[in-house]
Amino acid sequence: MTEIARSRIFADAASRIRAVGPNVVALTGAGISVESGIPAFRGSQGLWDRFDPMEYATIEAFSANPEKVWGMFSGLLPLLLAAAPNPAHLGLSGLEGAGMLRSVVTQNVDGLHQAAGSRNVIEYHGSFRELVCLSCWKRYPMAVWSPGDAPPRCECREILKPDIVLFGEPIPWGAQATAEADAKSCGVLLVAGTSAQVFPACELPAIARLHGAVVIEINTEETPLTRTTTDLFLKGKAGEVMTKLVEAVR
Ligand code: OAD
């Protein structure tokens, strides 16, 4: 693509956002946090290359052998705890602050949108901020565990589970209902850094488009959405693309 064609797509995306702002909703995935040093799930160097999700990321796997699943969590958590928001997270919070964006629906559990200053964040797959006991449902802050510790236990002695959605668990009801309502009512859905392979989050772009929204997608590579649902595809790293897009919106 020529530089002129690329500039036209950015200008078009920016004018679509300006036309409906603040009725813009973002849907984000692991790719938006890659530039913060957190690996994505799929693709080379993805987490699922090292850990089979059937063995490490299902509720059945956690219930059968929580120590084994904590083997993955305890490698990942120090990365999450050390990570800082990158220009993509900051760009979205800037759009919200400028009254151009309504909410961020994120599949990420790293809390980086909130750290960047986004206020209306819908955590579709839960978060690593809290731990929950699957036996008595008591909740604890993640701070009860430190890197190097054994898996944390509830006062009832059960091993605690981070409050994230594992495969086989339902999406938190409020998050699912709000995300779906936002997808149905937004004028632009800005999809950034998701492979759009995990149900039901991957349906939100089609829901938005069926209800009249323009779908703008940011990704380093094409996804199942790109040629079916996406109206404008901005190829590149989320941090670089978002910075350029936010400048164009302003
Ligand atoms: P994936 O790992 O499936 O996809 C990450 C996407 O980000 C891919 O399409 C990459 O091309 C893209 N990407 C990588 N680096 C990027 C960058 N710097 N800028 C922009 N895009 C980049 O992550 P998700 O789609 O978020 O669920 O995965 C969805 C769910 O699958 C996760 O929430 C998790 C996982 O299994 C559960 O654990 C329930």
Side-chain angles (χ1 to χ4, degrees), residues 28-31 34 38-54 57 107-108 125 165-167 193-202 219-224:
T28 67
V34 165
I38 301 173
F41 296 96
R42 295 173 183 80
S44 67
Q45 294 170 17
L47 199 65
W48 296 157
D49 236 23
R50 287 187 288 137
F51 298 96
D52 178 347
M54 290 302 116
Q107 297 164 86
N108 300 345
H125 288 161
V165 175
L166 296 176
F167 288 110
T194 177
S195 64
Q197 288 185 38
V198 174
F199 179 83
C202 65
N219 202 303
T220 46
E221 44 192 69
E222 291 195 3
T223 72

Side-chain angles (χ1 to χ4, degrees), residues 84-110:
N86 69 54
H89 302 104
L90 294 166
L92 288 177
S93 77
L95 281 180
E96 186 187 18
M100 299 303 273
L101 181 128
R102 176 146 49 100
S103 62
V104 177
V105 179
T106 188
Q107 297 164 86
N108 300 345
V109 294
D110 54 30

Side-chain angles (χ1 to χ4, degrees), residues 43-172:
S44 67
Q45 294 170 17
L47 199 65
W48 296 157
D49 236 23
R50 287 187 288 137
F51 298 96
D52 178 347
M54 290 302 116
E55 275 183 51
Y56 285 91
T58 68
I59 188 63
E60 291 81 11
F62 185 87
S63 301
N65 193 345
E67 284 97 344
K68 177 174 171 178
V69 176
W70 263 96
M72 176 181 73
F73 292 153
S74 39
L76 191 58
L77 273 161
L79 278 180
L80 300 190
L81 296 172
N86 69 54
H89 302 104
L90 294 166
L92 288 177
S93 77
L95 281 180
E96 186 187 18
M100 299 303 273
L101 181 128
R102 176 146 49 100
S103 62
V104 177
V105 179
T106 188
Q107 297 164 86
N108 300 345
V109 294
D110 54 30
L112 290 181
H113 286 299
Q114 293 90 330
S118 286
R119 278 177 295 182
N120 194 7
V121 181
I122 297 152
E123 292 180 313
Y124 204 80
H125 288 161
S127 97
F128 261 116
R129 266 190 313 278
E130 282 193 307
L131 296 155
V132 62
C133 175
L134 297 181
S135 179
C136 69
W137 301 106
K138 193 166 172 162
R139 302 172 82 84
Y140 298 81
M142 180 50 81
V144 301
W145 180 86
S146 301
D149 284 359
R153 286 182 185 268
C154 183
E155 61 190 22
C156 77
R157 301 307 301 150
E158 279 297 309
I159 292 183
L160 297 165
K161 184 183 85 77
D163 193 21
I164 61 171
V165 175
L166 296 176
F167 288 110
E169 288 191 292
I171 304 301

